[in-house]
Amino acid sequence: MALIRCPECSREVSSHAPACPGCGYPLQAGTARPGAPAPQPAWQSPSVWGRIATVLGAWMIVPWLARLIFAVGALVLGYFMFTK
């Protein structure tokens, strides 16, 4: 018995397991349950879309925070330069 990685969740699974016990991804051909949906391509995985949303959120928020910190610093510097 060898351990393989699940292509969906990257968990180590027995090579004899019909499906991943963590996410239910079918590992062996022809072992899908009747009526179960067909496996999705990797780019349609919810974890992929979650990662994309995280990256886009960070991309949108981080520049905003940097501008805010810069503006506050400029205001503090201006205050001390012009109030004597």
Side-chain angles (χ1 to χ4, degrees):
M1 176 181 90
L3 292 177
I4 58 172
R5 290 229 178 251
C6 172
E8 184 71 20
C9 67
S10 300
R11 202 176 207 182
E12 287 190 340
V13 182
S14 167
S15 60
H16 297 294
C20 175
C23 66
Y25 187 84
L27 298 172
Q28 297 177 0
T31 58
R33 292 169 291 183
Q40 298 176 338
W43 62 271
Q44 289 182 343
S45 167
S47 63
V48 170
W49 290 110
R51 289 180 189 150
I52 290 172
T54 301
V55 168
L56 286 176
W59 180 72
M60 297 286 286
I61 292 172
V62 170
W64 178 80
L65 288 175
R67 286 190 293 264
L68 178 66
I69 292 168
F70 179 77
V72 169
L75 289 173
V76 169
L77 182 64
Y79 175 77
F80 286 115
M81 284 178 63
F82 297 113
T83 57
K84 262 211 173 184

